[in-house]
Amino acid sequence: MTRRFENRVAAVIGGGSGMGRAICHRLAAEGAHVHVADLNGGAAKTVTEEILGQGHLAQAEEVNATSLADLRGLFDRIGQQHGRLHVLHNQVGMPGPAGLAVSEEDWQRNIDVNVKSAFYGATLGYELLKQAEGKGSITFTASTSALVGSPYSPIYSLTKGAIVSFTRAMALVGAADGIRANVVCPGSVETPMLPQFFGREPGADVADLMGAFIASIPLGRAAKPEEIASVVAFLASDDAAMVTGVAVPVDGGLVAK
């Protein structure tokens, strides 16, 4: 495997499982010192131990991505230890409730988890990315529901769609400081969260709904977390030095239909 992140520092917020875990592994395998940040401190520690066991560099960070104090603490520690940050990836997200009858409490929670975490993660980490000498990269994970409407959860399309627009804005803001910003938009991915997207309606037959949706994907299957990680690694690397402000579907052709 190439070592595109040798001597570089990465932080993955939401790195404790699924796509985030795969992204941590990929960046570490390519040479990065990865700060594995997750609300679940035990999960962050497990991923860190996996990476260390493979001879790569990582450390666990227990971080609530909706807490500004926690995010500031994360970046303070990175700054004290490294003085800079090259790769910042935000993987934090949750499936929204189905339909239009969304309580104010659920609405706020979805905004906090899917939008607030992305905005403050990027903006509070910005000064460290400026110290990366033109090598700074911000990546986000949104969803194909950010590119096409979700008839199942309009609030999910709302919150993930916001990430696409925010990415474009951050690309313009960061250009003068050598900081790029891009977003991946996965379709169905084989993670523990996948069944939650199909079980939001009471009495839903999750297996049938999942099967029907996956059958509609032109390539005929869900993505693997490692396939998302490979795209994130490309976008964060010098191979994508002229790529900024883009939303990349990683969906087996779903939005091309």
Side-chain angles (χ1 to χ4, degrees):
M1 184 173 289
T2 58
R3 302 279 290 182
R4 293 179 292 187
F5 302 104
E6 197 78 52
N7 300 316
R8 297 192 186 184
V9 183
V12 178
I13 304 176
S17 65
M19 288 179 273
R21 172 181 174 272
I23 291 163
C24 289
H25 274 274
R26 180 60 182 259
L27 296 175
E30 291 205 40
H33 184 127
V34 180
H35 289 256
V36 182
D38 202 275
L39 177 63
N40 184 331
K45 183 177 179 181
T46 296
V47 173
T48 296
E49 290 172 348
E50 292 170 354
I51 292 171
L52 294 173
Q54 294 169 352
H56 308 311
L57 299 174
Q59 64 193 74
E61 306 277 2
E62 184 171 340
V63 174
N64 179 347
T66 69
S67 164
L68 272 61
D70 277 17
L71 289 170
R72 288 191 179 105
L74 169 66
F75 294 124
D76 284 349
R77 291 188 294 275
I78 293 173
Q80 291 166 10
Q81 186 170 344
H82 306 285
R84 65 196 186 283
L85 181 62
H86 299 88
V87 179
L88 174 58
H89 178 74
N90 185 291
Q91 184 62 41
V92 178
M94 63 177 291
L100 300 178
V102 177
S103 70
E104 186 174 3
E105 180 181 8
D106 282 345
W107 187 92
Q108 188 62 57
R109 182 164 180 256
N110 277 260
I111 292 294
D112 287 348
V113 172
N114 289 352
V115 180
K116 180 182 178 182
S117 67
F119 179 85
Y120 283 107
T123 56
L124 293 177
Y126 191 86
E127 289 302 315
L128 281 177
L129 290 160
K130 283 175 63 176
Q131 304 307 312
E133 300 178 340
K135 304 293 187 182
S137 166
I138 305 170
T139 48
F140 304 94
T141 296
S143 167
T144 52
S145 292
L147 305 176
V148 297
S150 169
Y152 308 107
S153 178
I155 192 174
Y156 189 66
S157 284
L158 167 69
T159 56
K160 289 302 186 178
I163 303 304
V164 173
S165 293
F166 179 55
T167 297
R168 294 182 181 128
M170 288 303 296
L172 298 178
V173 170
D177 294 316
I179 299 171
R180 297 179 299 105
N182 295 289
V183 55
V184 294
C185 297
S188 292
V189 184
E190 295 175 359
T191 71
M193 187 180 287
L194 181 58
Q196 297 179 34
F197 287 93
F198 298 95
R200 291 176 288 202
E201 292 281 7
D205 188 322
V206 174
D208 281 355
L209 290 172
M210 283 179 58
F213 186 82
I214 290 170
S216 73
I217 299 171
L219 288 184
R221 64 175 178 86
K224 300 180 186 303
E226 293 77 15
E227 292 172 315
I228 309 303
S230 67
V231 177
V232 171
F234 164 71
L235 291 171
S237 76
D238 292 346
D239 288 339
M242 278 296 287
V243 180
T244 193
V246 304
V248 181
V250 190
D251 64 351
L254 189 66
V255 302
K257 293 171 63 178

